């Protein structure tokens, strides 16, 4: 037997006299059947006595209001609000007047989240000047590439420079296609690297290895050099897009004396020495006739060297000891505290952290930033249960519900306006306590209430033990999803 706390938000349209002022678009949904709604409308619809229980706000400017009428029917009203209301609820900072003409989608792609409040005042001016600087640099690169190819013999047999120019165009086009990968990674996934740099640095090497396969294949199919080399460059550019920002986070971790510039410079020394040694050994391998003439031997040598490279990369990342708390380390720390009332130190926790594991596959399974619609199977079809949950989580900046599947538990967390990284950490602690103490036949609401009591009694102890173990509790890498937030209309 399974117990679920359920509230179905699947709804049918209904006609209502309920009016909402200053709204551009209104879509009404209801939890009851249409016949009941028609009866309610005949009785006046209860406009004057309708009560908003909560408001679910979306980052695209729309919002959904959960309204309880005098007929005790819970309705939802989907609205599209004026953008100027966003700042009241902490959704965004005031816009930068210099970029008013840019569409929101492009701003999100090229600017850091929370711009302009999340960066220094000189950020935009620097980037606007940096852009044409890089453009001129790549123009020079294109021109110089033609000269280099001509110098090594490309085009010399034809007696003209046309062949060299054509080869340069093909070569630069290959680089340009590859750059698209970096563009996509930087614009779409730029907010991931601060949370888990070890994982993304490791995945960068996996993707870069895949790109090298395309380059090796060009020897077998020289007629398809451009598409194969372009695919190789595209893949390796994606890898570089993951590698560079991840390693910058790692460098910042090393620079505990505010000496990031020196740390980066010394890392460059190590890198250049390794490059010279690697190039020397690579030339030695290429100068060995038995390896150069046999393609299978050459690829086998590459494969063995690459596997060694990946193993060494994993070992190097494993020794990193971050004292910041991200989602993976939060799971380890919370689990230890819930089970044993202790927290591991930085060294033990980082050693236990699985670099390759995606957070989506961690147990227990937590879905953060869920809209109430996604909780259909997790909440009862009753406005009484909705109000009970709001009372239960009145002192928290989130709402957590449980959906017990046949073989697993799923936890859904919706965050209220004003939620912080501490709110995320509290929800993780409650989730672990529930997963460890869940009773299949127990009352779901009572178990949620008990978990909140335990959270209230033990969370301060958890924070104190984190500080004693020298974890950084001031800057948690636990981001609150900004796509959806809930306004809790506290009327109880």
């Amino acid at each position: 037997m399974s117990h679920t706390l359920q509230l179905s938000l699947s709804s049918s349209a209904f006609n209502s006299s309920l009016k909402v002022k200053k709204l551009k678009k209104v879509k009404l949904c209801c939890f009851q059947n249409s016949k009941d709604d028609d009866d309610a409308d005949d009785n006046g619809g209860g406009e004057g006595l309708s009560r908003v229980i909560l408001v679910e706000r979306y980052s695209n400017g729309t919002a959904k209001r959960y309204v309880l009428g005098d007929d005790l029917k819970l309705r939802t009203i989907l609205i599209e609000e004026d953008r100027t209301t966003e700042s009241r609820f902490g959704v965004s900072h005031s816009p930068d007047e210099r970029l008013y003409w840019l569409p929101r989608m492009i701003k999100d792609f090229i600017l850091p989240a929370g711009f302009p409040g999340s960066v220094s005042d000189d950020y935009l001016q620097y980037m606007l000047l940096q852009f044409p600087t890089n453009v001129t640099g790549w123009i020079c690169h294109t021109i110089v590439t033609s000269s280099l190819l001509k110098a090594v013999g490309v085009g010399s047999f034809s007696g003209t420079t046309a062949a060299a120019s054509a080869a340069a165009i093909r070569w630069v086009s290959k680089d340009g296609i590859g750059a698209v990968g970096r563009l996509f990674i930087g614009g779409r996934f730029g907010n991931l690297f601060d949370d888990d740099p070890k994982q993304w640095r490791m995945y960068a090497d996996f993707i870069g290895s895949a790109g090298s396969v395309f380059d090796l294949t060009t020897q077998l199919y020289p007629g398809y050099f451009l598409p194969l080399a372009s695919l190789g460059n595209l893949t390796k550019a994606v890898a570089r897009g993951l590698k560079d920002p991840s390693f910058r986070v790692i460098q910042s971790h090393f620079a505990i004396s505010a000496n990031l510039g020196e740390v980066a410079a010394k890392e460059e020394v190590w890198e250049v020495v390794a490059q010279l040694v690697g190039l020397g050994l690579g030339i030695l391998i290429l100068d060995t006739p038995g390896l150069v003439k046999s393609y299978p031997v050459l690829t086998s040598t590459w494969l063995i060297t690459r596997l060694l490279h990946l193993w060494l990369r994993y070992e190097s990342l494993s020794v990193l000891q971050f004292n910041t708390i991200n989602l993976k380390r939060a799971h380890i720390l919370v689990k230890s505290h819930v089970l044993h009332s202790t927290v591991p130190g930085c060294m033990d926790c980082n050693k236990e952290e699985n670099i390759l594991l995606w957070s989506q596959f961690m147990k227990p399974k937590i879905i953060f930033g869920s809209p109430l619609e996604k909780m259909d199977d997790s909440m009862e079809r009753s406005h009484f249960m909705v109000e009970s949950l709001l009372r239960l989580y009145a002192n928290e900046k989130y709402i957590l519900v449980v959906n017990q599947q046949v073989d697993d538990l799923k936890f859904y967390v919706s965050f209220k306006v004003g939620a912080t990284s501490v709110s995320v950490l509290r929800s993780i602690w409650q989730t672990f306590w529930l997963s460890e103490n869940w009773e299949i036949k127990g009352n779901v609401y009572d178990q949620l209430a008990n978990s909140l009591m335990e959270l209230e009694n033990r969370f301060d102890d958890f924070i104190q033990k984190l500080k004693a173990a020298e974890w950084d509790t001031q800057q948690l890498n636990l981001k609150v999803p900004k796509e959806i937030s809930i306004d809790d209309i506290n009327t109880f």
Side-chain angles (χ1 to χ4, degrees), residues 170 217-229:
R170 296 179 67 190
T217 311
T218 57
Q219 185 173 336
L220 294 178
Y221 305 99
Y224 296 95
F225 171 82
L226 183 59
L228 288 173

Side-chain angles (χ1 to χ4, degrees), residues 2 39 74 87 99 109 149 178 213-214 327 353 364 373 388:
S2 65
D39 294 340
L74 189 61
S87 59
L99 297 177
F109 192 82
L149 291 175
V213 174
F214 290 108
L327 193 56
E353 180 183 2
E373 283 185 347
S388 297

Side-chain angles (χ1 to χ4, degrees), residues 2 5 17 38 95 103 111 116 128 163 216 227 296 306 310 315 322 327 339 362-363 414 426 435 450 458 463:
S2 65
L5 196 58
S17 59
D38 294 336
L111 297 173
L128 289 175
L216 283 173
R306 198 66 192 182
L310 292 173
E315 290 296 313
F322 286 95
L327 193 56
L339 294 179
M362 293 189 297
K363 298 293 182 180
S414 295
R426 290 177 70 89
S435 65
N450 290 337
R458 298 179 58 187
I463 295 297

